[in-house]
Amino acid sequence: MGKVTIRRFEEKDVPNKVKWINDNRNNQFLHYDIPLSLEKTHSWYLKNQTLTNRFDAVIEYDSIPVGVIGLVNIHDGKAEYYVTLGEPEYKGKGIAKKASDILLKYAFNGLELDEVYLYTEIYNVAAQHLFEKCGFHNQGIAYASAVNRGSTVDRYYYVITVEEYMRINNEIEWGGIP
């Protein structure tokens, strides 16, 4: 496997995000107002780039941008995780798992969070496998908790705590994210 890294989302990444989110192979379970436009996504970037309650990043594989990952709603020691591997030819290679491991290390060691959580639609089985490989635990169903393309959907609620993360990874060092 090549080298997987994550770095902060930059203005130059806006066109890739638009392309990835608008790709029907990627957006079945995403809760965006699709299609994204370059103009609105650029405005989103400008509005959010300096916020401290979120961390938006790009996944790179051998220095090639292949997806987005991040933490939102960072508050009171908790944050919500998200990930989208946007380039289809890079799926199924363990890249999202490695990027998630890097992000969780940052969440627990860099940001000193106590818990990272996420929601995923109950039919998004591939994502659930990824989350469980990363150490997240399914905490139950949030019924009719989101709207996707005009219909309410049920979602699972997943959590990983710092204690669970440390037990799995045995790590206490943090080198930072470029």
Side-chain angles (χ1 to χ4, degrees):
M1 175 188 275
K3 184 173 182 177
V4 177
T5 56
I6 68 173
R7 60 163 174 79
R8 286 192 180 275
F9 190 96
E10 299 173 13
E11 192 167 5
K12 70 181 182 182
D13 299 311
V14 167
N16 277 336
K17 180 176 181 175
V18 170
K19 178 181 82 167
W20 296 330
I21 301 305
N22 287 341
D23 187 330
N24 289 333
R25 294 170 291 184
N26 300 330
N27 65 24
Q28 179 182 1
F29 299 109
L30 300 181
H31 301 166
Y32 284 87
D33 185 12
I34 295 172
L36 292 185
S37 72
L38 277 171
E39 182 181 339
K40 283 185 182 177
T41 306
H42 187 257
S43 294
W44 163 86
Y45 168 76
L46 293 175
K47 182 178 82 173
N48 289 297
Q49 68 177 331
T50 59
L51 296 180
T52 57
N53 67 341
R54 63 183 301 133
F55 174 75
D56 298 293
V58 170
I59 302 167
E60 291 188 337
Y61 182 77
D62 287 340
S63 301
I64 299 166
V66 296
V68 290
I69 193 167
L71 300 166
V72 295
N73 303 320
I74 300 171
H75 181 68
D76 288 340
K78 298 179 182 181
E80 183 175 353
Y81 156 102
Y82 73 86
V83 63
T84 299
L85 198 60
E87 296 293 339
E89 64 269 27
Y90 291 94
K91 292 183 180 188
K93 299 181 184 308
I95 295 168
K97 166 71 167 77
K98 178 66 178 161
S100 297
D101 291 344
I102 295 167
L103 183 70
L104 289 172
K105 186 174 186 176
Y106 176 61
F108 293 124
N109 295 321
L111 296 176
E112 300 180 349
L113 297 179
D114 300 315
E115 177 181 296
V116 175
Y117 63 94
L118 64 93
Y119 293 90
T120 185
E121 289 189 27
I122 61 171
Y123 299 112
N124 193 355
V125 176
Q128 293 159 27
H129 288 301
L130 167 66
F131 306 145
E132 290 165 6
K133 283 182 193 174
C134 292
F136 285 91
H137 298 282
N138 186 333
Q139 302 293 300
I141 298 177
Y143 293 100
S145 60
V147 176
N148 188 348
R149 292 168 179 76
S151 299
T152 57
V153 293
D154 300 334
R155 299 181 300 166
Y156 288 124
Y157 176 66
Y158 277 82
V159 171
I160 184 171
T161 64
V162 65
E163 292 85 7
E164 292 165 333
Y165 173 81
M166 296 301 239
R167 188 170 48 248
I168 293 167
N169 294 285
N170 246 352
E171 293 184 22
I172 54 173
E173 298 175 22
W174 172 241
I177 288 183

